[in-house]
Amino acid sequence: GPGAIIASLTIGTGELIFSSRGGAIFGYHILFVFAVISLLKWGLVVATSRHMVLTGVHPYERMIELPGPRGWLPITLLLMATVCLPIWISFHSGVLGNLTSWITGTRSVLNGAMDYVWGAAILIGVLLLSATGGYSVLERVQMFVVSALVFCAGLTLLLYNPEWRQLFLGLLPERLEYPAWLSGKYPEIARHSVWVECTRYVGVIGGAGFDYLAYTSWLREKSWGILPGRATPEQIAEIAADPNHEVRKWINAPLIDCAISFALVVAFSAVFVVSGAMILRVEHIVPNEDNLLNLQARFVTQIHPLLLPLYVAGAFLTMIGTLYGTIEIACAIADEIVRSFASEWSEHRARRLKRIVIGW
């Protein structure tokens, strides 16, 4: 199901960059934060999916019924997405541009602006893919990305053979503190409190709220439960009265799908936390705005220098998947919000709205 897409989306910036950063700053102890974040987000996406599977009604449509002006919350979320998602998509494109200029040795070209030239070119290519593709293409691409990444990450962890006891103890709560060397080497990080640093991880590990609302929308493509139809009041009463109703059995589908997705997120986070703690923390190096993905190459080159191309290919593939998925999320949530207000909705209108979103 769409859980593969959610896992692939978050494994991009969340695990490659911020898990490594958390491991470099806090060591294994940051794993507890990642586990709690994933558990809470899993609860959110399961609850919304359960409602969608049983009724065929998206949470955006239910939000229209809230007290106050009609539809004030979905409209507010749409306005937020209109401003925030282009910034988030630009960030993903910038990360890819940063990686590409490092690979090609062009970082100094145009006084450092080459990051943005590469990023813009990649973004245009992915926008064209999004304009011509659809959900099925997205799911296949992300399934391949996630499978390859999890296999390689698990193999890396076994090769490093970390302190397994410390790794599992990292899942238990413990007071987080900055290391003494951080203020000297990275004053821009140290000047913020530990709470601010942890909040950065909350935003990216396991994805964001719009990702889950898009997940709920993509359930229409899977035809789980009452979907792609919509339950009538009589059907809802029938489902509520019968604990063994056929539709109720479909609740297990998103439950299992999301559980696998978030388990992969935690496992992948653990791999990069370990790598950050064992390599970057020892060398007093932290991924920041100047080196978003280059430092993590040390995770594989310390096994063998010839593995650098594998890391580059994996990081590039991961971020491309994340960028592609984020654009599709923007299209999905715009479609769902507008659909919630429309009395009638058609494929022609959906295609037209998607062109507008991609254009924006």
Side-chain angles (χ1 to χ4, degrees), residues 60-269:
Y60 281 137
E61 190 170 341
R62 290 291 187 235
M63 290 175 189
I64 292 175
E65 301 169 9
L66 288 171
R70 184 174 185 268
W72 64 270
L73 182 54
I75 291 171
T76 301
L77 291 171
L78 182 61
L79 292 173
M80 286 173 60
T82 302
V83 176
C84 296
L85 278 171
I87 296 171
W88 193 227
I89 288 166
S90 298
F91 170 68
H92 294 322
S93 306
V95 171
L96 279 163
N98 181 266
L99 179 65
T100 307
S101 63
W102 171 61
I103 297 164
T104 56
T106 55
R107 296 192 71 176
S108 58
V109 178
L110 301 177
N111 293 322
M114 203 61 195
D115 284 15
Y116 305 110
V117 175
W118 283 118
I122 292 166
L123 177 57
I124 290 168
V126 176
L127 285 170
L128 290 173
L129 174 64
S130 183
T132 55
Y135 174 81
S136 58
V137 175
L138 176 66
E139 188 178 63
R140 284 197 295 269
V141 168
Q142 305 294 41
M143 277 290 288
F144 170 74
V145 171
V146 168
S147 302
L149 284 171
V150 169
F151 173 76
C152 291
L155 187 60
T156 305
L157 191 64
L158 292 175
L159 288 171
Y160 271 133
N161 192 24
E163 298 177 37
W164 294 100
R165 182 173 177 274
Q166 291 298 318
L167 176 62
F168 288 110
L169 286 175
L171 293 168
L172 302 176
E174 187 163 327
R175 181 181 175 83
L176 297 175
E177 294 179 343
Y178 287 141
W181 52 263
L182 190 71
S183 56
K185 291 199 68 174
Y186 297 95
E188 73 282 1
I189 299 176
R191 68 187 177 89
H192 295 295
S193 75
V194 170
W195 282 101
V196 173
E197 180 66 20
C198 288
T199 302
R200 291 194 177 104
Y201 307 145
V202 173
V204 291
I205 299 297
F210 282 132
D211 301 352
Y212 311 135
L213 290 163
Y215 174 95
T216 309
S217 181
W218 286 326
L219 294 180
R220 295 183 198 278
E221 305 284 344
K222 307 305 296 182
S223 299
W224 288 349
I226 205 74
L227 296 166
R230 179 192 176 104
T232 63
E234 291 76 21
Q235 284 176 312
I236 291 175
E238 182 185 330
I239 294 166
D242 184 3
N244 298 313
H245 197 282
E246 188 66 28
V247 171
R248 283 199 181 203
K249 297 175 184 177
W250 280 100
I251 296 172
N252 292 324
L255 187 73
I256 295 168
D257 187 40
C258 295
I260 294 171
S261 174
F262 280 97
L264 290 175
V265 167
V266 174
F268 208 83
S269 297

Side-chain angles (χ1 to χ4, degrees), residues 16-77:
L16 281 179
I17 299 173
F18 288 96
S19 292
S20 307
R21 178 178 169 123
I25 296 175
F26 300 111
Y28 296 116
H29 302 309
I30 195 65
L31 271 174
F32 169 72
V33 177
F34 293 168
V36 170
I37 292 168
S38 298
L39 181 63
L40 292 173
K41 291 182 176 183
W42 173 80
L44 173 65
V45 69
V46 166
T48 54
S49 301
R50 180 181 185 276
H51 187 270
M52 188 74 170
V53 165
L54 291 174
T55 67
V57 179
H58 195 276
Y60 281 137
E61 190 170 341
R62 290 291 187 235
M63 290 175 189
I64 292 175
E65 301 169 9
L66 288 171
R70 184 174 185 268
W72 64 270
L73 182 54
I75 291 171
T76 301
L77 291 171

Side-chain angles (χ1 to χ4, degrees), residues 326-338:
T326 306
I327 293 167
E328 287 294 327
I329 280 172
C331 296
I333 62 173
D335 177 273
E336 205 63 59
I337 290 175
V338 175

